[in-house]
Amino acid sequence: MKAILGKTCLAVLTSAAIGVSASAQAAEDCPLPGNLRVVIGSTSTGGDTYQVSSMVVDQLAEQLDINAKVDAVGVMPGFQALERSRHGNTIMIFHDGSYLGHLYGVNGYPDIFSKFVVGPTIAINPGNAYLVPKSSPYQSMSDIIEAAGDGKQVKVAIQPGGVSEIGFTALKNAVRMQYPGKESNIVAVNTGSQADKNQLLFDGAVDVINGSVQANEQYTQLPADDQKAMRFVWITAREKTIAQTNEEGMGDTTREQLLQYVTPNASVPMGEDQDFTFDKEFFLLYNKDMDPAAIDCIDSALADVYEGDELQEQLKRSFFVPDYKPTQEAASYLEEKNDEYKTIISDLKG
């Protein structure tokens, strides 16, 4: 027997005790198809969305004794597939970009909170970061904010809309708070992939780039006279999130070193007594008409999986932070997060 559904499926255990097949009882109690398609909002099979999804889905499938496949279809095809799947044979895994794209007005991004059922959170990628060349005069975020306030243009390479842009928006907001009218000196240079952003920095075309600990840590280890050498100046994750990563950190950068680049050590003010932070969180999305019993079943199975060590250790080895919240709690939490960032984005647009 591969798996049973855990706490909420006591009937499975009882049935097994009297000779009824546990997997058959599980299928009856848990109205999920035998084959589950999990679409993701990325077309890359090497990116963080696929990595997280494959680890979690493998464990979920084993727990539920079903076949499940991660399908890297991309954002719009993912939303479309989810909208068509009223019987629950397709679900989606994505991250905060799913609602940030809507807040930024990116074409094709729906309001996920009204269009779909927002499901459980599963993991955090704590690596969202901003970097400068090692030769840069900017040693900190405070230097960058002050430079903009003094009238110097600071060019920041981002991928517009979503996770890549939210830290840029927060930086611009911080300049506006401290130097009203000077926020236009923080200039977005819109581009595509991480490789494109890196190249702009190598060429001296921008002053700062959005990157990640996973993708850019290798460049921070290069000698200062190397054209590709970079320095972290800001990691947007909360201090307590980085503190949950493994002590060895990522690559040759330890957790203790990474903590130098998060608040309060690297400060981007969002209010008088609050710094901006952003954890990139991954979560499930369901079709509005999916059977609530199937959603509850997934919640129960994931709760059991996260009670064990295997998935949590696997995630942490890949520099992710385990982050399970059940559907109801996660939906409320993510909607609050959406509203908080909506205020910052709307204020700057105004």
Side-chain angles (χ1 to χ4, degrees):
M1 180 175 65
K2 242 183 181 182
I4 53 179
L5 296 187
K7 300 174 183 173
T8 65
C9 291
L10 186 59
V12 173
L13 294 171
T14 305
S15 300
I18 60 173
V20 178
S21 163
S23 60
Q25 184 68 44
E28 181 180 335
D29 291 352
C30 184
L32 282 170
N35 295 308
L36 184 66
R37 182 188 185 204
V38 183
V39 295
I40 64 172
S42 170
T43 56
S44 171
T45 56
D48 58 351
T49 305
Y50 188 86
Q51 290 178 53
V52 165
S53 300
S54 61
M55 285 185 271
V56 172
V57 169
D58 283 351
Q59 292 284 328
L60 178 65
E62 183 175 351
Q63 187 73 9
L64 292 174
D65 197 19
I66 61 174
N67 296 314
K69 175 190 175 185
V70 177
D71 200 352
V73 298
V75 178
M76 302 314 160
F79 286 145
Q80 291 163 5
L82 187 60
E83 190 172 4
R84 292 192 300 266
S85 179
R86 296 183 177 181
H87 300 296
N89 60 321
T90 298
I91 64 175
M92 186 173 185
I93 293 179
F94 202 17
H95 51 63
D96 302 88
S98 59
Y99 63 82
L100 288 173
H102 178 70
L103 293 180
Y104 280 115
V106 178
N107 187 41
Y109 277 75
D111 176 2
I112 63 167
F113 300 101
S114 61
K115 189 80 169 178
F116 306 114
V117 173
V118 175
T121 57
I122 53 174
I124 299 171
N125 179 348
N128 188 52
Y130 287 79
L131 302 99
V132 298
K134 276 193 175 176
S135 59
S136 171
Y138 304 130
Q139 299 297 315
S140 67
M141 294 305 292
S142 296
D143 288 348
I144 293 170
I145 293 169
E146 186 176 340
D150 287 342
K152 181 173 178 56
Q153 280 199 344
V154 180
K155 296 179 181 178
V156 185
I158 60 170
Q159 187 172 359
V163 169
S164 183
E165 189 169 358
I166 189 64
F168 168 83
T169 300
L171 173 58
K172 199 165 185 174
N173 180 63
V175 173
R176 184 188 61 172
M177 287 172 52
Q178 295 186 33
Y179 303 98
K182 300 293 186 180
E183 61 270 17
S184 60
N185 289 324
I186 301 295
V187 179
V189 178
N190 294 330
T191 185
S193 69
Q194 189 61 59
D196 293 336
K197 287 180 277 188
N198 292 348
Q199 193 60 51
L200 287 170
L201 198 69
F202 300 155
D203 295 340
V206 296
D207 303 292
V208 187
I209 61 168
N210 170 242
S212 71
V213 173
Q214 294 92 327
N216 295 91
E217 190 274 341
Q218 58 183 315
Y219 297 109
T220 68
Q221 300 302 320
L222 297 174
D225 59 354
D226 192 305
Q227 183 183 2
K228 296 183 177 181
M230 304 178 185
R231 278 188 288 108
F232 290 116
V233 285
W234 185 29
I235 296 172
T236 66
R238 293 172 291 182
E239 182 181 28
K240 69 178 184 179
T241 301
I242 295 293
Q244 293 177 68
T245 62
N246 289 334
E247 186 176 357
E248 58 268 26
M250 181 73 191
D252 292 322
T253 305
T254 66
R255 180 178 65 197
E256 192 63 32
Q257 291 171 318
L258 291 172
L259 286 168
Q260 298 174 21
Y261 306 111
V262 301
T263 186
N265 295 319
S267 174
V268 176
M270 190 172 75
E272 289 186 9
D273 302 313
Q274 184 181 10
D275 282 348
F276 175 87
T277 59
F278 174 76
D279 281 346
K280 182 180 180 181
E281 298 184 76
F282 296 87
F283 50 91
L284 274 64
L285 290 166
Y286 304 118
N287 183 283
K288 270 284 190 185
D289 296 324
M290 185 169 172
D291 187 343
I295 293 174
D296 290 344
C297 176
I298 291 175
D299 271 4
S300 175
L302 284 175
D304 287 346
V305 167
Y306 278 87
E307 281 184 2
D309 294 332
E310 183 179 350
L311 177 60
Q312 297 200 49
E313 291 174 358
Q314 187 180 10
L315 287 166
K316 292 180 81 168
R317 282 195 300 271
S318 299
F319 199 67
F320 296 108
V321 174
D323 178 42
Y324 172 70
K325 296 182 185 70
T327 292
Q328 189 172 356
E329 180 185 349
S332 175
Y333 164 74
L334 289 167
E335 194 153 13
E336 288 178 11
K337 198 174 178 184
N338 171 83
D339 292 345
E340 181 180 11
Y341 297 143
K342 180 179 180 179
T343 299
I344 300 174
I345 294 168
S346 298
D347 286 351
L348 280 173
K349 285 180 178 178

